[in-house]
């Protein structure tokens, strides 16, 4: 603690010396030196190739691999320059998590939260596969050999996709980037990340895993230099056990699945910046989890040169000035060992080799224009085979949470449609003339999207809504510009044309007049973007609109486009509100998917990847971000003192009954669970309490040993075909019942199928802080299988 006080003074803080230990977790422990890549597991061959190439590089060439090249005029978010004499074509790094950002002729897939709501692993792999195909397609299919690199061409390959968000994990309800992540549960998040990586690897694209780590709020994510001393970024302070059991968990799954890149985060961790934190980078990532790939900064997240190099950073984006000439000088004068730079270069090139990008990767991406008006060769990256995946992704991300026999619609003759989130946007492209994120519902300039959360000490928060049209995703670097957007109203019109339905609509009046109708549909949304946290998790404007329709229509169906948790208690019990749908962030097929579901052409199968409480007060301090306060105005602190008790773990521990629990979602059919059996495997017989296996990427390999299997059957007992996401929870040694298995099945009426879910050593362990290992806790463990966290259908015990 003393050292903190000293460093604050050294940085020029106020004369007041901070002595109160209770509000600080303290300092991140130093972990040096930075571990070298060792070529374990699948990395052996790519490591050898990378070492051989690095051995031929000059100091400056190696250094040039580690920072962003200056030109931005090639459609890449970040660019590593080529080494033409050795046939290395450079690297092009491109956003976004739901498709190729900043270009034309691409698709906009369902965003993270919708993927989480699908609970569908196969669909997630397919999504990753087709998304990666679009990254690959933005170039012509010409294989280049060494020396064949066209030096004059400044446009480069899209090699690396900023695709997988497992942090934020949704610690705070109002988190601005919660929609980019899959779920507020680390187990669900981890497996869907692994599946996305699998899909990308099928197409030879490097995945970037982000944001490492504890990037749980947008407020104060970066330092502000407009005061003296400057306001540093918020510090996320977390204990070691929570780190392992909650926040590191999904990263571990994704590393196990082979992600060759990871992005360090903007904010601080135990008061040390995410891209210069030796404990998280050298310690957790490169030692404990045996990471073989390279660490890249989030954009402009580097705040030191020598320190970040020694702490384990491998690439800075864009060119911060901290490295380049300054890095080579520091090496020449002995401040940084050259072996650290060799390791950076080896890790970067090994990732390139691992994905086979040295063997016939497409020619430079001529399909990536910079400005909208720039004439360019058109490269249509959209594979027709991706269409069913896009549509199904939109469908399965919808979650039906209330249905009083309103849905599916049965031959309605008159339908009235309300709400600003039903029609398409009035204006398709705004902004600075580039293919940035702002097209069709991902706009940054909407006056209704004013930011309250940037204002310190502000207590009045009014939720922002995208009042001028439907949204299909949130905003910021995670947004894309798909070729088309199917709005709910477009899709309803098409359906009306087919069925000869009579449609009425009003998207403007906050208290519209409602014609006598068979059904009244109200479409509302919430806006969310990178860069700031949502001001609230419901808004009175939308709630009043819903209530006003419901007062006049006894069959009111509410559809919400929600990029995060959205509370509905102001209207959910209203007798005239007969159905409520969370549509989440469906991507370009949004409206078509909603209408197919409303009419029963498709059947709801999504389940909530987070909990919906009844009241904002249920969140306690986890509603919104931590703000700079007290002695820490310049050094904002966010203490994760709730431990692993976020979302359903927290509500359960505090005995709060939610409105809709984690894993909840209705179907048009019914399922019966039966025949539970819980069996130990041979490996469990004489299992030591600690793992003893060697470390490969992902951690000690025997953490993935299957020690038990949980089997059961599911029968579709209704009249229509449907899918069920079955869930397995166990009472973990950490004192919380947690998700430890799931599978989605499609069943015809009367069809029965069996499910077998493995429990690994890690699933059954807790993090032992003293031993610094996962510890298998022997004893009797409660096992719960069901349709949601609360809807337990089968119960058993596992004696381990
Ligand atoms: C942060 O500090 C806590 C409390 O001292 C410690 O348990 C944890 O390991 C630290 N984590 C990091 C990443 O520094
Ligand atoms: C990394 O490898 C280099 C070259 O073999 C060696 O000099 C250096 O000590 C190694 N660093 C670590 C941390 O093992
Ligand atoms: C390294 O990069 C700089 C620009 O950042 C460039 O001027 C220089 O030519 C590059 N060196 C080599 C050897 O490619
Ligand atoms: C790089 O080194 C130069 C010369 O020593 C110095 O002026 C500059 O501030 C350094 N850049 C950074 C970002 O530290
Ligand atoms: C070595 O170079 C680095 C980067 O320019 C500089 O910060 C450091 O002060 C230098 N050290 C010595 C001993 O010259
Ligand atoms: C939204 O609509 C309002 C009212 O028509 C208009 O004033 C405003 O400019 C629109 N905003 C955007 C971003 O289109
Ligand atoms: C926030 O409130 C505290 C206590 O009321 C006050 O001391 C501080 O100056 C305020 N901060 C800002 C940025 O207004
Ligand atoms: C609901 O309203 C419709 C038309 O407005 C009417 O025909 C119907 O009888 C009402 N149903 C009930 C249960 O009140
Ligand atoms: C919605 O609920 C909140 C919190 O209970 C309340 O403050 C607000 O006035 C309600 N709004 C409406 C439209 O009922
Ligand atoms: C429900 O809707 C009917 C019109 O269909 C209306 O007469 C009635 O007052 C509404 N009920 C409530 C509680 O608003
Ligand atoms: C959904 O259920 C309907 C029956 O209402 C059935 O015809 C259809 O095949 C089902 N759709 C899917 C995709 O299972
Ligand atoms: C929500 O919580 C607030 C503050 O605790 C309370 O005043 C209000 O009555 C609650 N609303 C509901 C609907 O429970």
């Amino acid at each position: 603690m003393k050292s903190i006080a000293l460093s604050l003074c050294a940085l020029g803080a106020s004369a007041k010396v901070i002595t109160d230990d209770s509000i600080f977790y303290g300092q991140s422990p130093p972990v040096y030196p930075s571990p070298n890549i060792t070529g374990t597991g699948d990395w052996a061959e790519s490591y050898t190739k990378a070492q051989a190439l690095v051995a031929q590089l000059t100091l400056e060439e190696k250094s040039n691999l580690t920072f962003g090249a200056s030109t931005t005029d090639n459609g890449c978010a970040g660019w590593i320059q080529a080494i033409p004499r050795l046939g290395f074509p450079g690297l092009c790094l491109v956003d976004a998590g739901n498709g190729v950002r900043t270009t034309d002729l691409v698709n906009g897939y369902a965003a993270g939260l919708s993927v989480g709501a699908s609970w569908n692993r196969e669909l997630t792999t397919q999504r990753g596969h087709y998304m990666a195909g679009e990254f690959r397609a933005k170039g012509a299919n010409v294989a280049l050999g060494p020396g064949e690199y066209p030096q004059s061409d400044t446009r480069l390959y899209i090699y690396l996709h900023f695709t997988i968000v497992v942090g934020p994990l949704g610690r705070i309800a109002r988190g601005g980037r919660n929609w980019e992540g899959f779920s507020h549960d680390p187990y669900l998040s981890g497996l869907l990340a692994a599946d996305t990586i699998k899909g990308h690897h099928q197409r030879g694209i490097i995945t970037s895993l982000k944001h490492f780590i504890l990037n749980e709020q947008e407020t104060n994510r970066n330092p502000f230099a407009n005061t003296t001393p400057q306001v540093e970024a918020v510090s996320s302070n977390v204990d070691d056990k929570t780190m392992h059991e909650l926040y590191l968990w999904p990263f571990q799954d994704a590393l196990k699945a082979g992600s060759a890149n990871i992005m360090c985060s903007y904010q601080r961790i135990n008061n040390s910046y995410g891209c210069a934190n030796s404990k998280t980078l050298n310690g957790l990532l490169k030692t404990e989890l045996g990471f073989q790939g390279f660490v890249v900064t989030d954009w402009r997240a580097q705040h030191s040169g020598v320190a970040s190099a020694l702490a384990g950073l491998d690439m800075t984006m864009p060119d911060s000035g901290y490295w380049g000439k300054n890095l080579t000088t520091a090496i020449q004068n002995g401040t940084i060992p050259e072996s650290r730079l060799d390791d950076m270069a080896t890790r970067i090139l090994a990732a390139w080799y691992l994905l086979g990008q040295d063997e016939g990767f497409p020619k430079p991406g001529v399909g990536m224009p910079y400005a909208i008006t720039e004439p360019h060769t058109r490269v249509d990256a959209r594979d027709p085979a991706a269409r069913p995946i896009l549509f199904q992704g939109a469908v399965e991300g919808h979650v039906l949470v209330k249905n009083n026999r309103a849905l599916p619609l049965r031959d309605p003759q008159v339908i009235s449609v309300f709400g600003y989130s039903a029609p398409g946007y009035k204006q398709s492209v705004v902004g600075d003339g580039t293919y940035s994120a702002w097209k069709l519902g991902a706009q940054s300039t909407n006056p209704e999207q004013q930011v309250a959360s940037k204002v310190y000490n502000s207590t009045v928060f009014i939720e922002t809504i995208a009042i001028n049209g439907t949204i299909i995703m949130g905003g910021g670097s995670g947004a894309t510009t798909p070729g088309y957007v199917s709005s709910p109203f477009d899709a309803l019109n098409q359906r009306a044309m087919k069925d000869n339905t009579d449609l009425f609509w009003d998207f403007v009046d906050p208290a519209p007049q409602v014609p006598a109708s068979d059904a009244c549909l109200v479409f509302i949304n919430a806006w969310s973007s990178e860069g700031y946290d949502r001001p609230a998790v419901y808004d009175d404007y939308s709630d009043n609109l819903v209530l006003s329709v419901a007062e006049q229509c006894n069959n009111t169906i509410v559809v919400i486009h929600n990029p995060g948790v959205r509370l509905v208690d102001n209207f959910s019990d209203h007798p005239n509100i007969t159905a409520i749908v969370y549509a989440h962030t469906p991507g370009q097929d949004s409206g078509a998917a909603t209408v197919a579901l409303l009419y029963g052409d498709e059947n709801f199968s999504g389940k909530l990847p987070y909990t919906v409480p009844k009241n904002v007060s249920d969140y306690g301090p986890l509603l919104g971000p931590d703000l700079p306060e007290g002695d820490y105005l310049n050094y904002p602190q966010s203490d994760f003192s709730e431990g692993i008790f976020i979302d359903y773990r927290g509500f359960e521990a505090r005995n709060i009954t939610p409105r809709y629990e984690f894993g909840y979602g209705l179907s048009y059919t019914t399922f019966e669970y039966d025949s539970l059996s819980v069996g130990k495997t041979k490996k469990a017989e004489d299992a030591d309490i600690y793992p003893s296996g060697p470390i490969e990427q992902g951690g000690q390999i025997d953490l993935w040993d299957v020690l038990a299997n949980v089997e059961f059957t599911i029968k579709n007992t209704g009249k229509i075909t449907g899918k069920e996401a079955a869930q397995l929870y166990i009472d973990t040694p950490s004192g919380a019942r947690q998700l430890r298995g799931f599978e989605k099945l499609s069943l015809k009426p009367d069809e029965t199928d069996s499910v077998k879910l493995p429990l690994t050593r890690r699933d059954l362990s807790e993090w032992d802080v003293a031993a610094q290992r996962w510890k298998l806790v022997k004893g009797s463990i409660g096992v719960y299988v069901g349709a949601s966290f609360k809807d337990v259908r089968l119960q058993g015990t596992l004696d381990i």
Side-chain angles (χ1 to χ4, degrees):
M1 199 43 46
K2 263 189 201 115
S3 50
I4 286 290
L6 285 175
S7 66
L8 289 182
C9 291
L11 284 166
S14 65
K16 188 177 163 64
V17 174
I18 295 156
T19 52
D20 181 357
D21 286 12
S22 66
I23 34 177
F24 247 21
Y25 281 73
Q27 223 178 346
S28 222
V31 181
Y32 297 100
S34 190
N36 288 328
I37 174 178
T38 49
T40 51
D42 297 342
W43 287 77
E45 194 187 325
S46 46
Y47 169 55
T48 309
K49 286 183 184 170
Q51 267 192 320
L53 187 53
V54 170
Q56 300 176 59
L57 301 181
T58 65
L59 186 69
E60 188 174 308
E61 283 169 338
K62 284 184 277 193
S63 158
N64 278 7
L65 287 172
T66 67
F67 63 93
S70 59
T71 191
T72 53
D73 196 16
N74 58 9
C76 309
W79 172 37
I80 293 298
Q81 55 190 299
I83 308 171
R85 74 177 180 93
L86 294 169
F88 176 69
L91 284 175
C92 175
L93 286 58
V94 172
D95 292 317
N98 56 350
V100 188
R101 187 181 174 224
T102 63
T103 189
D104 55 1
L105 301 161
V106 290
N107 285 308
Y109 293 77
L113 203 60
S114 286
V115 177
S118 80
W119 294 67
N120 189 331
R121 300 194 58 184
E122 177 54 30
L123 185 61
T124 302
T125 304
Q126 295 274 308
R127 172 179 174 273
H129 177 91
Y130 285 110
M131 235 162 38
E134 296 188 30
F135 281 77
R136 222 187 148 95
K138 282 290 183 180
N141 285 303
V142 177
L144 293 177
E148 282 184 75
Y149 179 75
Q151 296 186 31
S152 58
D153 202 332
T154 57
R155 296 176 191 281
L156 293 168
Y157 306 57
I158 303 167
Y159 281 114
L160 187 142
H161 178 197
F162 290 110
T163 180
I164 295 159
V165 179
V166 293
L169 190 63
R171 175 179 181 259
I172 60 161
R174 285 170 32 213
R177 300 191 84 166
N178 288 356
W179 65 277
E180 297 184 55
F182 300 117
S183 169
H184 296 192
D185 178 85
Y187 185 94
L188 179 55
S189 216
L191 289 193
L192 296 176
D195 296 331
T196 306
I197 292 162
K198 187 173 155 196
H200 276 73
H201 283 194
Q202 290 166 355
R203 310 303 293 272
I205 298 290
I206 301 172
T207 50
S208 185
L209 182 62
K210 60 189 190 175
H211 305 84
F212 192 70
I213 191 171
L214 309 183
N215 190 168
E216 294 295 326
Q217 65 176 60
E218 291 300 279
T219 305
N220 290 102
R221 67 174 183 165
N222 274 314
F224 290 127
N226 55 355
T227 58
T228 310
Q230 72 171 4
V231 179
E232 299 297 337
V234 67
S235 175
S236 298
N237 306 323
V238 76
D239 66 88
D240 194 40
K241 195 165 192 297
T242 304
M243 175 67 105
H244 282 85
E245 295 181 2
L246 196 69
Y247 297 102
L248 193 59
W249 183 288
F251 283 100
Q252 184 166 14
D253 285 318
L255 293 170
K256 179 74 181 168
S259 192
N261 175 256
I262 195 164
M263 180 191 281
C264 51
S265 56
Y266 283 127
Q267 96 299 339
R268 297 179 300 153
I269 300 143
N270 283 3
N271 293 287
S272 163
Y273 272 99
C275 293
N277 186 312
S278 69
K279 168 68 179 173
T280 55
L281 301 180
N282 288 342
L284 297 175
L285 181 63
K286 289 184 174 177
T287 305
E288 187 187 319
L289 300 183
F291 181 53
Q292 301 290 299
F294 65 102
V295 179
V296 65
T297 62
D298 204 336
W299 260 232
R300 284 170 276 277
Q302 193 188 27
H303 304 294
S304 63
V306 172
S308 59
L310 297 177
L313 179 67
D314 301 306
M315 181 187 282
T316 181
M317 278 290 164
D319 182 6
S320 63
Y322 285 113
W323 284 1
K325 196 124 194 56
N326 290 6
L327 182 67
T328 50
T329 305
I331 288 168
Q332 279 156 346
N333 74 17
T335 306
I336 297 175
E338 186 166 358
S339 61
R340 182 69 268 271
L341 177 61
D342 288 346
D343 182 54
M344 295 176 193
T346 310
R347 286 171 177 275
I348 292 163
L349 293 173
W352 182 69
Y353 282 121
L354 184 79
L355 276 301
Q357 296 187 348
D358 56 318
E359 294 164 6
F361 206 79
K363 206 178 164 238
V366 286
M368 293 292 286
Y370 184 64
I372 284 173
T373 49
E374 181 190 330
H376 57 280
T377 310
R378 286 192 182 154
V379 176
D380 194 341
R382 299 167 300 173
D383 184 343
R387 293 300 293 273
I389 302 302
L390 279 148
F391 179 70
Q392 205 56 34
V395 165
E396 296 197 22
H398 283 65
V399 182
L400 178 66
V401 292
K402 179 175 182 180
N403 187 15
N404 287 356
R405 289 186 300 278
L407 297 176
L409 296 170
R410 294 171 200 87
D411 302 318
Q413 196 172 28
V414 179
I415 294 182
S416 40
V417 190
F418 305 97
Y420 53 88
S421 207
Y425 258 74
K426 294 173 207 161
Q427 191 182 12
S428 81
V429 179
V430 295
D432 55 4
T434 66
Y435 285 96
S436 59
W438 323 117
K439 183 184 181 186
L440 298 163
Q443 305 190 30
S444 62
T445 55
N446 191 321
E448 282 70 35
Q449 294 162 10
Q450 287 309 310
V451 182
S453 55
K454 269 188 185 165
V455 182
Y456 294 168
N457 295 1
S458 170
T459 50
V460 181
F461 297 118
I462 300 166
E463 175 69 312
T464 50
I465 54 178
I467 198 101
N468 285 357
T470 199
I471 58 165
I472 56 168
M473 63 182 88
S477 66
T480 50
T481 52
Y484 66 84
V485 167
S486 166
S487 77
F489 189 54
D490 291 342
L492 283 164
N493 260 317
Q494 278 170 30
R495 180 78 196 207
M497 186 175 157
K498 181 166 152 254
D499 293 357
N500 211 21
T501 318
D502 196 0
L503 289 184
F504 290 87
W505 64 92
D506 179 345
F507 306 132
V508 180
D509 196 330
Q513 242 197 335
V514 180
S517 314
D518 298 321
C520 304
L521 307 176
V522 191
F523 293 86
I524 59 175
N525 69 36
W527 177 248
S528 189
S529 172
E530 174 182 3
Y532 56 92
D533 295 309
R534 283 167 66 195
V537 286
Y538 73 89
D539 73 284
D540 285 344
Y541 177 88
S542 305
D543 288 359
N544 285 325
L545 171 66
V546 168
L547 290 169
S548 138
V549 173
E551 271 164 26
Q552 306 167 66
C553 176
N554 63 17
N555 189 22
T556 302
I557 295 160
V558 183
V559 179
I560 310 169
H561 295 120
N562 60 310
V565 176
R566 206 294 184 183
L567 270 49
V568 292
D569 261 54
N570 281 344
F571 57 75
S572 56
D573 282 337
H574 195 290
N576 282 356
I577 295 182
T578 50
I580 301 174
V581 176
Y582 285 109
H584 294 117
T585 47
Q588 69 193 39
D589 282 1
S590 175
T594 305
V595 170
L597 284 162
L598 296 179
Y599 279 85
D601 299 338
E602 293 289 336
N603 305 309
F604 284 95
S605 66
K607 296 202 173 178
L608 294 174
Y610 50 78
T611 305
V612 180
K614 292 179 176 165
N615 195 335
V616 290
S617 63
D618 292 343
Y619 281 109
L622 298 187
L623 174 64
D626 282 308
L627 300 174
E629 59 178 15
D631 288 340
Y632 301 100
L633 274 180
N634 296 94
Y635 304 93
Q637 303 292 313
S638 178
D639 292 346
F640 290 26
S641 48
E642 70 287 344
I644 63 167
F645 296 94
I646 66 165
D647 204 82
Y648 66 86
R649 294 163 186 76
F651 295 124
E652 186 70 2
R654 289 183 287 128
N655 217 356
I656 289 171
T657 306
R659 169 58 50 201
Y660 305 118
E661 75 269 15
F662 179 82
Y664 176 76
L666 298 169
S667 165
Y668 291 155
T669 185
T670 50
F671 300 95
E672 198 176 275
Y673 289 63
D674 203 357
S675 312
L676 176 71
S677 84
V678 182
K680 283 198 288 189
T681 64
K682 250 203 162 72
K683 281 203 161 131
E685 296 304 328
D686 49 1
D688 238 321
I689 60 167
Y690 295 116
S692 55
I695 292 172
E696 288 182 5
Q697 182 164 312
Q700 283 189 280
I701 56 172
D702 48 345
L703 285 173
W704 273 267
D705 282 354
V706 175
L707 301 191
N709 283 298
V710 176
E711 294 178 64
F712 52 94
T713 60
I714 304 181
K715 181 178 182 188
N716 183 344
T717 49
K719 291 195 175 58
I720 67 165
T721 298
K723 290 181 184 171
E724 172 74 340
Q727 300 156 43
L728 163 66
Y729 297 85
I730 67 169
D731 287 331
T732 60
S734 316
R737 186 173 300 176
Q738 304 193 66
L739 185 71
R740 285 293 182 265
F742 65 92
E743 186 165 323
K744 196 166 193 180
L745 294 178
S746 179
L747 295 169
K748 296 195 186 70
D750 290 325
E751 191 183 347
T752 302
D753 205 348
S754 57
V755 180
K756 180 174 174 179
L757 298 172
L759 287 168
T760 65
R761 172 184 276 279
R762 186 183 57 147
D763 291 337
L764 298 165
S765 297
E766 71 173 329
W767 180 252
D768 182 335
V769 174
Q772 285 292 294
R773 287 196 201 182
W774 287 96
K775 178 180 173 186
L776 186 62
V777 178
K778 304 232 176 181
S780 202
I781 294 169
V783 171
Y784 311 86
V785 168
S788 78
F789 180 60
K790 292 275 187 189
D791 187 1
V792 174
R793 306 287 183 84
L794 305 169
Q795 201 168 324
T797 50
L798 168 65
D799 294 305
I800 204 82

